[in-house]
Amino acid sequence: MINIAIDGPAGAGKSTAARMAASRLGFIYVDTGALYRTVGVAALRRGIPTDDREKVAAMLPEITAELKFEDGVQHVILNGEDVSDAIRRPEASMAASNVSAIPAVRAFLFGLQKDMAKNNNVIMDGRDIGTVILPDAQLKIFLTASAEVRAKRRFDELTAKGTPVEYNTLLDEIKQRDYNDSHRAAAPLKAAPDAVLLDTSDMTLEKVVDRITELARGICADKKDGE
Ligand code: DC
């Protein structure tokens, strides 16, 4: 199986680019952030403070998280219920960031991610895919962009949807999440030593997808040569 790991901070454009590249390559796109969001939503629904490590850990045996793919589109299933929309609500972002710092939560989601990659050609995106989940991935990409560019992209996205937001609030949130994600003790956000760094600040989405696809085709060709 071919495994491609894409890591990077919130809003770098990982998910859109990874989804499009996966569709061009005929790979499954796995969005692992959705899994942390699912655990975050499970805690919110139970009224558990998402930064309460003991309570969140104690909740885990009561929940099941699964991934389903319909026409190549990923759905996350929490205790049998499709929560793919609920995990996109704004409050789910900080909840996900909080629960993702809890080692028990990372351990809970580890096997699910490993299994997906073992059985499928995948492009998997997240924060620790190249470093922890798929250290043997044939291709690792670390996608980044300045906080300002990421906040602007998010602002444009939400404005287009008719959601009123303040640019400065988004920028503060992005900076806060970057800090949380890269300073936590458990699997902090960092590039794997063998990752290809891609700064997308001045790149169009099309260019990013082209570059990822080109890199992926390179490793697919290498793999064929080696057979
Ligand atoms: O990519 P996202 O915004 O949907 O991710 C939500 C949160 O989950 C983010 O704050 C970091 C965390 N996360 C993680 O710790 N490890 C991953 N592999 C993916 C996401």
Side-chain angles (χ1 to χ4, degrees):
M1 292 297 152
I2 295 178
N3 291 170
I4 300 177
I6 304 190
D7 292 299
K14 294 188 303 285
S15 52
T16 314
R19 184 182 308 114
M20 289 171 66
S23 138
R24 277 196 205 169
L25 295 161
F27 283 23
I28 287 186
Y29 162 58
V30 183
D31 165 11
T32 64
L35 295 170
Y36 293 91
R37 287 171 178 269
T38 300
V39 175
V41 164
L44 288 176
R45 285 184 174 180
R46 285 168 172 72
I48 295 172
T50 51
D51 57 356
D52 186 325
R53 294 180 169 233
E54 276 80 40
K55 288 205 174 114
V56 172
M59 168 192 83
L60 297 173
E62 294 166 21
I63 67 169
T64 56
E66 294 161 84
L67 289 178
K68 262 197 198 150
F69 292 85
E70 282 172 16
D71 300 326
V73 178
Q74 172 182 304
H75 291 258
V76 272
I77 315 294
L78 169 64
N79 290 342
E81 178 195 342
D82 189 331
V83 291
S84 306
D85 290 332
I87 62 163
R88 297 298 156 201
R89 300 218 183 97
E91 65 273 20
S93 298
M94 204 45 91
S97 182
N98 284 339
V99 300
S100 72
I102 305 174
V105 171
R106 306 202 73 85
F108 177 72
L109 298 173
F110 184 82
L112 178 54
Q113 297 171 82
K114 285 295 260 193
D115 286 349
M116 286 303 307
K118 196 171 143 203
N119 301 319
N120 304 282
N121 289 330
V122 294
I123 295 192
M124 190 174 281
D125 88 14
R127 303 296 190 284
D128 64 337
I129 309 305
T131 49
V132 178
I133 305 293
L134 305 177
D136 297 326
Q138 292 94 335
L139 173 63
K140 300 177 186 177
I141 298 173
F142 195 81
L143 214 68
T144 173
S146 71
E148 287 72 18
V149 167
R150 289 184 283 133
K152 175 73 169 58
R153 286 179 186 160
R154 186 88 185 110
F155 177 81
D156 291 344
E157 208 179 289
L158 290 169
T159 311
K161 277 193 205 158
T163 314
V165 274
E166 290 266 346
Y167 168 81
N168 283 326
T169 311
L170 291 176
L171 182 60
D172 287 348
E173 262 175 33
I174 282 195
K175 286 185 174 165
Q176 183 62 48
R177 275 220 280 159
D178 280 358
Y179 186 87
N180 287 357
D181 294 347
S182 52
H183 285 79
R184 66 183 180 214
L189 170 67
K190 63 167 191 274
D194 50 349
V196 178
L197 298 184
L198 212 57
D199 185 331
T200 71
S201 301
D202 298 317
M203 287 170 88
T204 59
L205 175 60
E206 185 68 18
K207 274 261 152 56
V208 178
V209 179
D210 284 348
R211 183 77 186 117
I212 296 174
T213 319
E214 185 184 28
L215 289 165
R217 295 220 162 103
I219 59 141
C220 292
D222 286 351
K223 195 167 153 68
K224 273 207 190 100
D225 288 347
E227 275 168 7

